[in-house]
Amino acid sequence: MNITRPFGDTLALIGNTPIVRLAGPSAAAGCDIYGKCEFANPGSSVKDRAALWMIRDAENRGDLKPGGTVIEGTAGNTGIGIALVANALGYKTIIVMPDNQSKEKMDTLRALGAELVLVPPTKYSDPGHFQHVSRRMAEETPGAVWAGQFDNVANRKAHIEGTSQEIWEQLEGRIDGFTCAAGTGGTIAGVGMGLKEKDPEIRIALTDPHGAALYNYYAKGVLEAEGSSVAEGIGQGRITANLEGAPIDTQYRISDEEGLVWVERLLREEGLCLGLSSGINVAGAVALGKELVAEGRPNPRVATILCDTGFRYLSTLYNPEWLAAKGLPSFDWLQQGAAA
Ligand code: PMP
């Protein structure tokens, strides 16, 4: 029996997440597809790792002192991670978030005791963008540090030192490809760098949603976005410091509809309730698996990230009215529930 002994403190619960073979995606790709269960972190997302690394980094630099405040601009999950870590270490948290993110994330942040500042979504060049608002607040608040996840490379370090090492060990060094989408880019860059150091033959693929500019950047060198996506936490329009030097070998563009197919199938067939970025990642992993099979790699193994829990999106992805308003297909059983 594989028993985990008690951890010494709650922060030790971050990372060391399980990895699971996904039956449906593996059958679709014709090879083994593995999902790294980041929803198993205490804040139910991959961003707990970046939160812990950035806060430890600010402490080590001497910028964050006892009783201090951590301020961040975030689509939500990083804020949840920061609030948990800050609570455990005795810091205050202020989170600036676009007001179009899920209600569950806002309620969770408030429940964790974070001060929540909602701003209208706007483009990065606008001084009212959530990242700029949060940076200015940190400059003006005594004893505060700005986490700055997009350009703070302590974020990707969490994945170089943590996630990639775990994936390598869990798959016993037998891995041919890795893919995921980018928000800050910390996960794809950090896991990519960590795995390439183990074996440069591991293919690293970016899976980009519509409305993001990175697919075209890696395909033809221009930051150019097409279409749009309702996926929260992913979709980047610039090369963040975390993305600089990311070892991306190839790229896929995945629509919300394709991602939703996997969100539904993973829930119905395998009992995993996930957010849309996870569905988009799994669609990318299936594409990468098929490509490696077509090239004749024997029994390739591909890993991706299951970024956060679907319970964070009950009012959106799992709500037929919300899906209809966005022009997206609903799951059969949700529609039956709505009719009853
Ligand atoms: N999925 C979700 C749900 C997220 O919140 C994030 C973080 N913004 C990501 C994926 C992308 O992770 P990263 O910031 O490391 O690129």
Side-chain angles (χ1 to χ4, degrees):
M1 206 181 346
N2 193 0
I3 286 179
T4 308
R5 301 288 168 206
F7 290 110
D9 65 83
T10 53
L11 292 179
L13 295 170
I14 294 175
N16 281 319
T17 54
I19 196 163
V20 64
R21 182 181 180 277
L22 300 169
S26 297
C31 67
D32 288 332
I33 306 287
Y34 292 89
K36 182 85 168 136
C37 298
E38 292 303 299
F39 57 83
N41 281 300
S44 305
S45 95
V46 65
K47 299 303 304 209
D48 286 8
R49 295 177 184 267
L52 179 59
W53 253 255
M54 291 192 295
I55 288 178
R56 289 297 192 204
D57 180 62
E59 288 177 332
N60 292 339
R61 278 186 282 116
D63 293 345
L64 184 58
K65 303 208 169 63
T69 303
V70 186
I71 301 186
E72 181 62 321
T74 157
N77 279 331
T78 305
I80 291 167
I82 286 176
L84 287 168
V85 174
N87 285 0
L89 294 172
Y91 302 118
K92 292 188 281 293
T93 308
I94 302 177
I95 297 301
V96 183
M97 182 171 160
D99 64 13
N100 62 346
Q101 302 300 295
S102 82
K103 184 177 176 300
E104 288 84 342
K105 284 185 190 162
M106 297 177 194
D107 290 343
T108 304
L109 280 163
R110 290 193 188 101
L112 292 170
E115 185 182 326
L116 190 57
V117 179
L118 296 177
V119 295
T122 180
K123 52 187 188 310
Y124 184 69
S125 56
D126 184 334
H129 188 272
F130 68 95
Q131 288 178 49
H132 306 312
V133 174
S134 63
R135 189 191 58 244
R136 286 197 302 273
M137 280 187 75
E139 285 162 4
E140 290 158 11
T141 307
V145 295
W146 184 52
Q149 58 171 331
F150 290 85
D151 297 298
N152 179 348
V153 292
N155 167 359
R156 79 178 181 198
K157 225 172 154 195
H159 302 288
I160 297 172
E161 294 174 359
T163 323
S164 69
Q165 308 298 319
E166 295 167 25
I167 292 172
W168 178 259
E169 278 173 35
Q170 286 169 315
L171 296 183
E172 296 168 297
R174 289 179 45 232
I175 168 167
D176 299 86
F178 173 81
T179 187
C180 71
T184 63
T187 312
I188 183 75
V191 175
M193 287 169 163
L195 288 177
K196 284 281 189 194
E197 206 162 284
K198 301 283 187 198
D199 177 0
E201 293 300 306
I202 299 173
R203 188 161 310 164
I204 307 297
L206 172 82
T207 291
D208 220 25
H210 287 208
L214 297 181
Y215 174 86
N216 280 331
Y217 178 78
Y218 291 110
K220 50 184 188 180
V222 280
L223 279 167
E224 201 173 69
E226 287 157 45
S228 67
S229 168
V230 301
E232 294 185 22
I234 57 171
Q236 185 48 257
R238 67 184 178 96
I239 300 302
T240 61
N242 280 294
L243 279 167
E244 271 168 29
I248 310 287
D249 297 309
T250 187
Q251 56 285 323
Y252 307 107
R253 185 155 44 198
I254 302 290
S255 69
D256 286 356
E257 286 82 356
E258 290 168 283
L260 274 170
V261 167
W262 285 113
V263 168
E264 175 176 14
R265 284 194 57 184
L266 287 168
L267 181 50
R268 183 162 40 86
E269 298 169 13
E270 305 190 41
L272 278 182
C273 184
L274 301 166
L276 182 50
S277 68
S278 303
I280 287 175
N281 281 353
V282 168
V286 170
L288 177 55
K290 282 182 179 169
E291 194 174 292
L292 292 168
V293 169
E295 285 171 22
R297 279 215 204 188
N299 308 314
R301 288 152 60 109
V302 171
T304 191
I305 303 286
L306 307 179
C307 313
D308 70 353
T309 173
F311 300 138
R312 198 147 277 167
Y313 307 100
L314 296 179
S315 66
T316 58
L317 287 183
Y318 298 95
N319 172 359
E321 282 141 38
W322 186 91
L323 287 167
K326 300 286 178 192
L328 290 166
S330 184
F331 309 162
D332 283 352
W333 69 84
L334 285 178
Q335 276 162 341
Q336 283 161 18

